[in-house]
Amino acid sequence: MSERKVLNKYYPPDFDPAKIPKLKLPKDRQYVVRLMAPFNMRCKTCGEYIYKGKKFNARKETVQNEHYMGLPIFRFYIKCTRCLAEITFKTDPENTDYAMEHGATRNFQAEKLMEEEEKRIQQEREDEELNNPMKVLENRTKDSKMEMEVLENLQELKELNQRQALVDFEGMIDQYRELEKREREREKEEDERETKEMLERVLVKRLRDSDSDSDREEESSSSQSKKSCADKPTDILTTDKAADVQGASSGGGKRTKVESWEKSVGTLGGRGALSSLVVRKKPTVMDKRPSTEGATASLASQSDSKASTGPKPSVSQNGSSSLSLLGAYSDTDSE
């Protein structure tokens, strides 16, 4: 196995090919070869059929004293698959075929026999015409008459078929061509329509995008203008808060919501500039909770006494500032 792929062999230095003895083999020696049956045959001994392509281990030899244009002819020996009888056949280079020799008969030779008969008839005719010009004229007349008869018979068959045929082949071909043409036109129209729809969709989408962008710009500008209008510092002075201030002062309870203008001004309880305007009354032992009317009167007297010295608080048009001050004072007293 080590020399399976070796291309170069080792030759020792003292190798002399002249010393190798030559084999003297007979010329009619036989070789064992693997081949397939070249044709269908039937065994003469048992009647077994041997089909073309059946593989055999055959013995091959060269036929002595037989040549065709310098080419040797070979003989093959096979055995029947059933009775093991010997069958022989040999090559036929003249006809590019194999010739059955003995042990079996060749089957299905109808085509070969017909070809051989045609060749024989043609050869006889040529031999007759070789030295007889009248025979040549007769043969030509006979051939022309036969051709005319064949053409007439063919024309009659065509007319008979046309009379019996119910199918118009020309009409079918024309109809098929017309159908194919309509199909091509329909496909072309569909392609154009699809292209047009795609372009329209793209155009509508662009228009919608541009409209949405313009609407967003308008909405943003309007919201900004509304916001700027609502954020004016003078708007908080025009709002009417008298009802809320009166309810808080009369009820004496704590307010839960702180207005925006109160944040800017500040509460009375803080340490700002307005805290000096209010003097808280200390509750006595007998009366720890002064009434709302007494608180209102004391607040009014204190505000009148220090109106000339202290700074005046900013009061709106409806007097909401004074009421808020009163409410805040009442809230602190209640606590």
Side-chain angles (χ1 to χ4, degrees):
M1 290 298 292
S2 62
E3 298 180 358
R4 186 168 61 88
K5 293 184 179 180
V6 176
L7 300 178
N8 297 322
K9 304 292 184 180
Y10 173 72
Y11 294 97
D14 57 348
F15 175 73
D16 187 6
K19 295 180 181 180
I20 299 174
K22 295 182 180 180
L23 295 176
K24 295 181 179 180
L25 298 175
K27 294 183 179 180
D28 57 347
R29 65 183 180 275
Q30 295 181 353
Y31 301 93
V32 177
V33 295
R34 184 77 171 174
L35 57 80
M36 292 187 293
F39 45 77
N40 299 311
M41 64 185 79
R42 184 181 181 185
C43 180
K44 289 182 179 180
T45 306
C46 62
E48 179 70 12
Y49 287 96
I50 300 173
Y51 298 98
K52 181 179 180 180
K54 180 72 176 175
K55 292 183 179 180
F56 293 95
N57 291 326
R59 290 181 288 115
K60 172 186 172 184
E61 69 177 6
T62 304
V63 180
Q64 298 297 323
N65 302 324
E66 288 189 19
H67 298 276
Y68 174 75
M69 300 178 67
L71 297 175
I73 296 175
F74 300 101
R75 182 183 288 115
F76 300 94
Y77 298 88
I78 63 174
K79 289 184 179 182
C80 177
T81 56
R82 184 176 180 183
C83 65
L84 300 179
E86 193 174 58
I87 301 171
T88 61
F89 57 90
K90 58 183 180 180
T91 57
D92 187 8
E94 183 179 359
N95 300 317
T96 62
D97 197 3
Y98 290 86
M100 192 72 213
E101 194 172 17
H102 120 303
T105 56
R106 185 171 179 175
N107 299 332
F108 308 110
Q109 286 184 317
E111 185 177 359
K112 185 178 180 181
L113 295 174
M114 184 180 66
E115 291 178 356
E116 291 178 355
E117 186 66 21
E118 288 180 355
K119 288 182 180 179
R120 186 181 62 80
I121 293 172
Q122 185 68 21
Q123 186 67 28
E124 290 179 357
R125 182 176 178 178
E126 290 178 357
D127 294 340
E128 288 179 356
E129 293 177 355
L130 184 60
N131 298 320
N132 192 356
M134 295 300 294
K135 194 67 175 179
V136 174
L137 183 60
E138 288 179 3
N139 291 336
R140 290 180 181 176
T141 307
K142 190 184 294 185
D143 293 340
S144 61
K145 188 182 292 185
M146 187 178 294
E147 288 179 0
M148 291 176 65
E149 290 178 358
V150 169
L151 291 175
E152 288 177 359
N153 293 333
L154 182 61
Q155 188 66 26
E156 289 178 0
L157 290 174
K158 286 183 178 180
E159 292 177 357
L160 183 62
N161 290 334
Q162 289 179 358
R163 286 197 301 268
Q164 293 179 355
L166 301 177
V167 180
D168 187 9
F169 295 101
E170 297 294 335
M172 289 178 62
I173 294 172
D174 295 338
Q175 186 177 2
Y176 176 75
R177 290 176 180 173
E178 185 69 21
L179 182 62
E180 189 177 7
K181 184 178 180 182
R182 290 179 183 177
E183 187 69 20
R184 286 198 299 268
E185 292 178 356
R186 186 179 63 80
E187 291 179 356
K188 186 177 180 181
E189 290 177 358
E190 288 181 357
D191 294 341
E192 292 178 357
R193 180 173 54 80
E194 290 179 358
T195 307
K196 187 176 180 181
E197 289 179 357
M198 291 174 64
L199 293 175
E200 288 179 356
R201 285 199 295 268
V202 172
L203 182 60
V204 169
K205 185 176 180 182
R206 289 182 179 178
L207 291 175
R208 286 179 181 175
D209 294 341
S210 60
D211 293 341
S212 61
D213 293 340
S214 61
D215 293 341
R216 288 176 185 173
E217 291 178 359
E218 291 178 0
E219 289 178 359
S220 60
S221 61
S222 61
S223 61
Q224 288 179 2
S225 61
K226 289 180 181 179
K227 186 176 181 182
S228 61
C229 294
D231 292 342
K232 291 182 180 180
T234 57
D235 291 341
I236 59 175
L237 300 176
T238 60
T239 56
D240 191 7
K241 303 294 183 179
D244 297 338
V245 175
Q246 288 179 2
S249 60
S250 61
K254 294 183 180 180
R255 291 186 299 172
T256 58
K257 186 177 181 182
V258 181
E259 302 296 336
S260 60
W261 61 273
E262 291 180 357
K263 292 180 181 180
S264 62
V265 174
T267 58
L268 295 175
R271 296 180 180 180
L274 296 178
S275 62
S276 61
L277 298 176
V278 180
V279 178
R280 296 184 180 181
K281 183 179 179 181
K282 296 180 180 180
T284 59
V285 178
M286 297 300 294
D287 190 9
K288 292 182 180 181
R289 288 182 176 276
S291 62
T292 307
E293 294 179 357
T296 307
S298 63
L299 179 60
S301 62
Q302 290 293 334
S303 62
D304 292 336
S305 62
K306 293 186 179 182
S308 59
T309 59
K312 296 181 180 181
S314 60
V315 182
S316 61
Q317 295 179 3
N318 53 5
S320 61
S321 177
S322 61
L323 293 176
S324 64
L325 292 174
L326 293 175
Y329 184 74
S330 64
D331 293 338
T332 53
D333 291 341
S334 63
E335 291 177 356

